[in-house]
Amino acid sequence: MTELRVLVVTGMSGAGRSTAAHALEDLGWYVVDNLPPAMLDDLCTQVEKAGVERLAVVLDVRSWTLFEQLPTMYDDLEHRGLRPEVLFLDATDETIVKRQSSARRPHPLQGDGRLADGVRVERSLLADLRSVADVVVDTSGLNPHQTASRVAHFFASERAEELRVLLLSFGFKNGVPTDADMVVDVRFLPNPHWVAELRPQTGLEPEVRDYVLGQDGAGPFLDQLEGMVRLVEPGYLREGKHHLTVAIGCTGGKHRSTAMATELGRRLSGSTMTVRVLHRDLGLE
């Protein structure tokens, strides 16, 4: 019988937990919302009997006192030989306030204070859980479809002994991705923005790609970065980590980072890893 895979879905209110839960349901996960952690062991027994192979449990701060039960929950599951994964949905305070205000919904922890006060309290309460999460998805610049797509990349298939790598290009002027495991800076390369005929194009187009990859240092940098990803692969898998997000940044996320992320994805494709390339800031310029 296939070992049950257990995923805890949590994160900031307004960051996309519901979107993630719906995406997981579409992927064939059995999803339970707001289950008291103390009941998870019994639930695992029941779903295993029913032949369920992937179980996702959504937890939020509406039942914060129940989070105190999480250590016991993990102990119980480890005794069963199960290692639950944690998916944490996050977003900037500004994004969460804007979303909650647009939905005309108060924050569950704001009490008599402002919505922003509730967000700060929640972020403090969830800090430890975020720090141990297997996957953090920052949805600040994502629409629901993009959030669902990001979740699908990490959790669409059965957990195999492979590393799922997300290569994310971005622009530093739009902020560093908070969900990245590695962040690298390719602003040391000449900027195609200052070449008139290349300025309106992106790093996805051959002329820009060839310009970026042909610069001194571009090839050796990619060699080193590719080697680093391949170097950490066995260690990640040995530690039970199956997800790696590498963020590659330039000034605006249009030319250099896009070309470099795409080329790294090409180099890593066909290996033992599952690789996906996303360009966070294309179209924002």
Side-chain angles (χ1 to χ4, degrees):
M1 184 173 66
T2 303
E3 178 184 292
L4 176 65
R5 186 177 180 185
V6 181
L7 175 65
V8 175
V9 182
T10 188
M12 297 292 293
S13 300
R17 285 192 313 266
S18 295
T19 298
H22 292 151
L24 289 166
E25 286 183 325
D26 291 341
L27 295 169
W29 287 73
Y30 186 87
V31 180
V32 179
D33 193 6
N34 214 28
L35 179 80
M39 297 178 61
L40 184 55
D41 189 42
D42 289 338
L43 177 62
C44 288
T45 299
Q46 295 302 317
V47 298
E48 283 181 314
K49 289 180 179 178
V52 172
E53 296 179 354
R54 294 185 291 175
L55 170 66
V57 178
V58 184
L59 301 178
D60 63 45
V61 292
R62 289 175 297 174
S63 55
W64 172 251
T65 57
L66 299 176
F67 275 58
E68 298 175 356
Q69 303 169 14
L70 283 174
T72 300
M73 177 197 79
Y74 277 97
D75 289 342
D76 291 342
L77 293 180
E78 286 180 359
H79 286 314
R80 300 170 61 100
L82 302 176
R83 181 194 177 277
E85 301 167 80
V86 177
L87 166 62
F88 192 100
L89 283 300
D90 203 355
T92 64
D93 290 2
E94 179 183 4
T95 299
I96 292 172
V97 169
K98 184 180 299 184
R99 289 175 181 172
Q100 297 289 82
S101 297
S102 298
R104 299 179 183 275
R105 297 176 61 186
H107 191 279
L109 296 179
Q110 75 180 78
D112 296 329
R114 300 179 305 152
L115 198 157
D117 297 328
V119 173
R120 281 193 292 271
V121 172
E122 182 181 32
R123 192 171 295 284
S124 176
L125 290 173
L126 293 177
D128 289 343
L129 191 55
R130 187 189 191 284
S131 68
V132 299
D134 295 273
V135 177
V136 176
V137 176
D138 182 354
T139 67
S140 301
L142 306 181
N143 61 38
H145 174 74
Q146 291 168 325
T147 298
S149 178
R150 189 78 62 87
V151 171
H153 168 70
F154 289 121
F155 299 105
S157 64
E158 294 296 325
R159 181 174 59 202
E161 286 306 309
E162 66 175 13
L163 186 65
R164 302 185 71 84
V165 180
L166 178 64
L167 304 177
L168 183 68
S169 73
F170 73 97
F172 279 95
K173 73 177 186 180
N174 299 313
V176 178
T178 62
D179 51 354
D181 299 295
M182 298 181 186
V183 177
V184 297
D185 185 350
V186 296
R187 289 176 294 183
F188 69 93
L189 297 171
N191 191 348
H193 176 82
W194 303 115
V195 181
E197 62 270 25
L198 299 181
R199 183 178 302 174
Q201 302 184 55
T202 74
L204 298 179
E205 297 174 78
E207 293 84 356
V208 176
R209 179 198 62 209
D210 292 345
Y211 176 87
V212 172
L213 298 182
Q215 298 300 321
D216 289 343
F221 183 88
L222 284 169
D223 292 341
Q224 294 288 332
L225 186 54
E226 178 187 359
M228 184 182 300
V229 174
R230 295 187 186 279
L231 177 65
V232 302
E233 178 187 14
Y236 263 63
L237 296 177
R238 187 170 56 248
E239 294 300 312
K241 298 180 182 296
H242 296 262
H243 317 286
L244 172 65
T245 298
V246 181
I248 302 174
C250 62
T251 303
K254 180 180 180 180
H255 297 117
R256 292 165 291 180
S257 63
T258 301
M260 295 287 275
T262 301
E263 174 61 16
L264 181 59
R266 186 194 66 78
R267 291 183 175 209
L268 292 173
S269 64
S271 65
T272 56
M273 310 170 197
T274 297
V275 181
R276 185 180 182 194
V277 182
L278 290 178
H279 305 296
R280 190 193 73 175
D281 295 343
L282 270 187
L284 295 183
E285 66 281 347

